[in-house]
Amino acid sequence: MQSSIALSIGLPAALVIIMLGLGLSLRFDDFARVLARPLPVIIGLALQVVLLPAICFVLVYLWSLPPAIGVGMMLLAASPGATSAALYTHLARGDVALSLSMAAFSSLLAIFSLPIIVNLSLVAFHGEGGAVALQIHQVLQIFVIAIVPAIVGILIRSRYPSLAASLDRPVKLLATVFLAIVVIFALISQWSLLAEWGPMVGAVTLIFNLICFAVAFFVPRALGVEHRQAVALAMSIGIRNAALVIALAMSEFMLNDAEMAIPPAMYGLVAYITGAILVWLLNRRPVAA
């Protein structure tokens, strides 16, 4: 992909805005409540960081996707939860505080898990010398443009709650505009590849999305997690922060490969549709204990 000034500036800016919005929706009390009863978060993070990336790798291997698309799928599998999952959690009568906390904790954990999973994926699909893996300075860049804005957002809400409330909506709107531009650019710049692989990538992302929802709901329930918390985990893991990994894939400071952005771009669309269907299904039955 030919880099441009717009992408060089726009992608990091979009990521900063997204993570600032995450912080504005969180409070330190949210973390305290989760730490008081950490089992659901521990189960959710284990599923999100270990089990589901392994399942995704098997799917990519079985579908024989192109190397860049395969890495993009694994990048997607390593992505943290999206804050928009909290809205779906609320509509499905789940634990919203747990959903927001999952987004925060998984974003923090992504600082360590993303480089590991991306490096392993690059070696698996490109070979030992076939691609340049994320280096330590790139990991630090992820921290600076992702986690620091989230912490700033939390501090703003903690000290200036009225300001945080007034900023919440415009920040989310601005992030949506940025992301729409990013996704459109990714699709247009790789249109020929999308036309060839789009149906297959769409099928893989749909299957992976459904697996994420099912695993994230039924495994915690089997381990004794209550219904409302299992709903929150399902939404938090099924609806991922595709924007984060799109930015990482396309930024010239990170992976600089628009092909890798195609799976998360398609997944973002699929997850919002299947998430809405799941909300409808959950609301048709009484809440379990």
Side-chain angles (χ1 to χ4, degrees):
M1 180 189 76
Q2 297 297 320
S3 299
S4 66
I5 296 177
L7 280 178
S8 300
I9 299 174
L11 286 172
L15 191 54
V16 167
I17 294 170
I18 293 164
M19 299 309 292
L20 177 63
L22 166 64
L24 290 172
S25 64
L26 292 171
R27 297 174 300 179
F28 289 111
D29 289 346
D30 295 328
F31 295 95
R33 280 195 297 271
V34 171
L35 291 175
R37 299 181 63 184
L39 181 61
V41 170
I42 292 173
I43 293 173
L45 292 177
L47 296 175
Q48 189 160 356
V49 177
V50 180
L51 180 60
L52 288 167
I55 292 174
C56 184
F57 182 86
V58 173
L59 288 175
V60 172
Y61 179 80
L62 294 176
W63 256 263
S64 300
L65 297 173
I69 298 293
V71 174
M73 283 294 300
M74 294 306 300
L75 196 61
L76 167 67
S79 63
T83 53
S84 55
L87 172 61
Y88 283 78
T89 300
H90 171 70
L91 295 174
R93 299 176 294 182
D95 188 334
V96 177
L98 175 59
S99 177
L100 288 171
S101 298
M102 270 293 295
F105 281 114
S106 61
S107 296
L108 289 170
L109 188 58
I111 292 294
F112 307 99
S113 62
L114 262 172
I116 293 172
I117 293 176
V118 170
N119 284 336
L120 292 175
S121 303
L122 288 168
V123 171
F125 299 120
H126 281 285
E128 292 287 346
V132 178
L134 287 177
Q135 305 297 321
I136 184 63
H137 71 278
Q138 293 172 309
V139 177
L140 293 176
Q141 286 172 354
I142 297 174
F143 179 83
V144 170
I145 66 176
I147 301 304
V148 171
I151 295 174
V152 170
I154 296 173
L155 290 173
I156 291 175
R157 177 165 181 178
S158 174
R159 298 184 180 183
Y160 310 101
S162 59
L163 176 61
S166 64
L167 287 176
D168 185 60
R169 186 170 182 177
V171 166
K172 288 180 179 177
L173 178 61
L174 187 58
T176 301
V177 172
F178 265 103
L179 292 177
I181 294 172
V182 168
V183 171
I184 290 171
F185 184 91
L187 296 178
I188 292 176
S189 64
Q190 299 297 319
W191 185 254
S192 60
L193 185 71
L194 183 62
E196 179 181 358
W197 292 99
M200 183 173 290
V201 174
V204 175
T205 54
L206 175 59
I207 292 172
F208 181 60
N209 174 247
L210 295 176
I211 290 174
C212 286
F213 277 128
V215 168
F217 181 80
F218 289 110
V219 171
R221 287 293 285 162
L223 294 176
V225 173
E226 67 179 40
H227 176 85
R228 291 182 67 249
Q229 292 181 322
V231 169
L233 293 178
M235 295 300 178
S236 300
I237 294 174
I239 301 175
R240 293 169 176 261
N241 194 342
L244 171 65
V245 289
I246 289 172
L248 294 180
M250 295 184 65
S251 174
E252 66 173 316
F253 301 111
M254 303 296 176
L255 294 170
N256 195 25
D257 191 332
E259 293 182 28
M260 295 181 185
I262 291 176
M266 298 189 71
Y267 186 95
L269 175 62
V270 167
Y272 284 119
I273 296 173
T274 55
I277 295 172
L278 181 57
V279 167
W280 178 74
L281 290 174
L282 287 170
N283 282 324
R284 291 194 65 196
R285 54 189 303 174
V287 177

